[in-house]
Amino acid sequence: MANDTVSAIGGATSAAETQWDLWEVFTQEGEGAPHEHAGSVHAATAEHAMQNARDVYARRGKVVSLWVVPTGAIIASAPGDAGPLFDPGNDKAYRHPQFYKTPRGVRGL
Amino acid sequence: MTTGKREAGDGKRDKVGSSVDGWVAGARPATATSGTAENPFFEYLLRLADDRLVLGHRLSEWCGHAPILEEDIALANIALDLIGQASLLLKLAGEIEGKGRSEDTLAYFRDAIEFRNAQLVELPNGDFAVTIVRQFLFDAWDVLVLERLTAASNQSLAGIAAKALKEAKYHLRHTAEWVRMLGDGTAESHARAQRALDDLWPYTAELFLRDAIDAEAVASGSGVDVESLRPRWRQTVDQVIGEATLTVPKDGFAPRGGRAGRHTEHLGRMLADMQSLARAHPGAAW
């Protein structure tokens, strides 16, 4: 499993048949803001998932939009791939914006 | 705060004393507070408030016991919405009454005979299907009532209705989806949902009964002719129940009397629980 390049989260789970599907919830807290992952809910249908997401994650916040996505539909990187996928970026300082000095007098960056 | 334009009772007592549909006459219990139509608008507000207070408390009994975490939160949310609406309505009722009773006094220091809720909402929660079907039948009615009340001549009531309507639309969306899932779910959930529908159906008739108090409220521009709402309610209910593959029961014997203070045995027990703290420690705060 750790060597798989990709794996579907929650796909082919061993959950009992009495367990509803898992859905990931994304909330947007203002026009133009990104939808951010808020958590997950169990639900039997898409409409049910939307309602549970609303009740659990959106009732007290300033949420203006909700996404719910079947957890199984998300393709995630495997933990074992973290090295090959992400490490190379760290030892090349010039890939980071901090590497570059900002010339004096430049404003509004 | 603006209060209703209608002055209590003046010249209206005779009219209210007679019965429009024949079911109120003689059924009115003699209580010191609200059993008479001395102040019809106060009485009318109690009906609106008590439906919500009692149903909200019933739903709150699920807190910590619902089938799953998400639904536990959902039911508690709906309960809080309803209790919040009741609080606003009882506050307004206290102002209309003009005897210095606060929303807490009205909620916690009236006995069952002084409550004006329909019997449907006081029934025990039963299983999850009973709770959901009861809530659905109420929500489908509630949305229609609140839509009308947003145009009430009493501005306070119109404002409360506008706020409550948003909440009620969500309640209906939630419970309608649940009715579909239960009815069109497993054999077990279908059977339980149908049984709940059969048991609760007779109690829905009371929601559409109109009497002199309603007539007064309608005449003053701050009431709803509930009888006229029935066709649209049936439309919503028939559609959802059809999608849920359930069968709409036949109309038959219909219990009534909640609006006049005659309740099932269940309300007294519920109030004993709901009111015990406030009565043991009057004025308690935290």
Side-chain angles (χ1 to χ4, degrees), chain B residues 110-143:
Chain B
R110 281 182 299 145
D111 293 332
I113 199 173
E114 297 163 271
F115 271 73
R116 294 293 178 260
N117 57 281
Q119 291 182 2
L120 174 71
V121 300
E122 74 201 35
L123 299 174
N125 285 334
D127 60 16
F128 185 64
V130 170
T131 295
I132 286 296
V133 171
R134 178 186 60 194
Q135 190 66 38
F136 165 69
L137 295 170
F138 177 83
D139 291 339
W141 174 84
D142 196 32
V143 166

Side-chain angles (χ1 to χ4, degrees), chain A residues 79-103:
Chain A
D81 289 336
L85 286 177
F86 310 123
D87 278 356
N90 281 337
D91 57 1
K92 299 181 184 68
Y94 49 83
R95 289 188 169 182
H96 298 275
Q98 295 90 331
F99 178 79
Y100 299 94
K101 296 274 189 294
T102 307

Side-chain angles (χ1 to χ4, degrees), chain A residues 11-65:
Chain A
T13 59
S14 58
E17 288 201 357
T18 52
Q19 188 85 328
W20 291 326
D21 291 340
L22 199 59
W23 304 70
E24 299 303 317
V25 180
F26 299 82
T27 57
Q28 186 190 34
E29 297 199 344
E31 297 284 328
H35 282 73
E36 291 179 355
H37 188 235
S40 56
V41 293
H42 288 97
T45 66
E47 166 66 12
H48 189 211
M50 182 59 82
Q51 292 179 9
N52 285 346
R54 179 265 189 190
D55 286 327
V56 177
Y57 295 106
R59 194 163 176 273
R60 295 201 181 111
K62 296 168 182 169
V63 175
V64 297
S65 169

Side-chain angles (χ1 to χ4, degrees), chain A residues 20 42 45 47 51 59, chain B residues 68 70 77 81 173-174 177:
Chain A
W20 291 326
H42 288 97
T45 66
E47 166 66 12
Q51 292 179 9
R59 194 163 176 273
Chain B
I68 56 160
E70 289 88 338
N77 279 343
D81 286 345
R173 180 174 167 176
H174 185 73
E177 177 68 4

Side-chain angles (χ1 to χ4, degrees), chain B:
Chain B
M1 175 85 59
T2 1
T3 56
K5 289 171 188 162
R6 179 151 295 281
E7 289 303 316
D10 292 342
K12 299 288 180 189
R13 210 165 293 187
D14 288 342
K15 187 181 164 193
V16 172
S18 66
S19 160
V20 168
D21 290 337
W23 64 276
V24 170
R28 199 176 287 129
T31 67
T33 49
S34 55
T36 69
E38 188 182 305
N39 188 338
F41 191 49
F42 169 68
E43 186 82 5
Y44 187 72
L45 290 171
L46 284 187
R47 294 176 175 190
L48 291 172
D50 288 348
D51 280 346
R52 288 158 177 75
L53 180 60
V54 171
L55 187 55
H57 186 81
R58 277 293 184 219
L59 280 186
S60 78
E61 293 171 357
W62 275 102
C63 194
H65 301 278
I68 56 160
L69 174 77
E70 289 88 338
E71 188 57 24
D72 203 281
I73 294 171
L75 289 177
N77 279 343
I78 297 176
L80 283 173
D81 286 345
L82 291 171
I83 291 168
Q85 295 168 15
S87 174
L88 294 170
L89 288 164
L90 287 175
K91 183 169 183 291
L92 179 60
E95 290 164 5
I96 295 289
E97 188 194 31
K99 292 180 181 171
R101 289 205 282 181
S102 70
E103 62 267 40
D104 283 349
T105 311
L106 288 168
Y108 297 122
F109 293 91
R110 281 182 299 145
D111 293 332
I113 199 173
E114 297 163 271
F115 271 73
R116 294 293 178 260
N117 57 281
Q119 291 182 2
L120 174 71
V121 300
E122 74 201 35
L123 299 174
N125 285 334
D127 60 16
F128 185 64
V130 170
T131 295
I132 286 296
V133 171
R134 178 186 60 194
Q135 190 66 38
F136 165 69
L137 295 170
F138 177 83
D139 291 339
W141 174 84
D142 196 32
V143 166
L144 298 175
V145 169
L146 292 171
E147 274 174 2
R148 300 297 194 290
L149 288 178
T150 56
S153 61
N154 180 292
Q155 290 304 300
S156 302
L157 179 57
I160 294 169
K163 178 180 184 295
L165 178 59
K166 288 184 207 162
E167 297 169 343
K169 282 181 174 173
Y170 180 73
H171 301 167
L172 177 59
R173 180 174 167 176
H174 185 73
T175 51
E177 177 68 4
W178 260 117
V179 168
R180 289 185 202 104
M181 288 194 291
L182 291 176
D184 196 15
T186 65
E188 176 78 13
S189 71
H190 178 89
R192 284 178 185 250
Q194 186 64 55
R195 200 182 313 142
L197 191 57
D198 293 343
D199 289 348
L200 294 169
W201 190 257
Y203 289 91
T204 60
E206 190 182 11
L207 298 173
F208 302 98
L209 289 179
R210 187 180 51 184
D211 68 0
I213 301 289
D214 295 283
E216 281 282 313
V218 171
S220 74
S222 286
V224 180
D225 176 4
V226 278
E227 211 172 74
S228 71
L229 301 180
R230 194 172 181 116
R232 278 189 64 196
W233 178 80
R234 274 301 298 258
Q235 216 177 330
T236 306
V237 167
D238 286 1
Q239 188 192 332
V240 173
I241 288 181
E243 289 164 357
T245 72
L246 297 167
T247 309
V248 179
K250 288 197 170 60
D251 290 318
F253 169 74
R256 51 175 57 175
R259 300 291 188 218
R262 281 180 284 126
H263 293 282
T264 66
E265 74 206 71
H266 308 294
L267 182 63
R269 291 176 186 213
M270 196 206 89
L271 292 181
D273 186 32
M274 188 185 95
Q275 298 176 330
S276 61
L277 183 71
R279 292 192 181 207
H281 305 279
W286 68 86

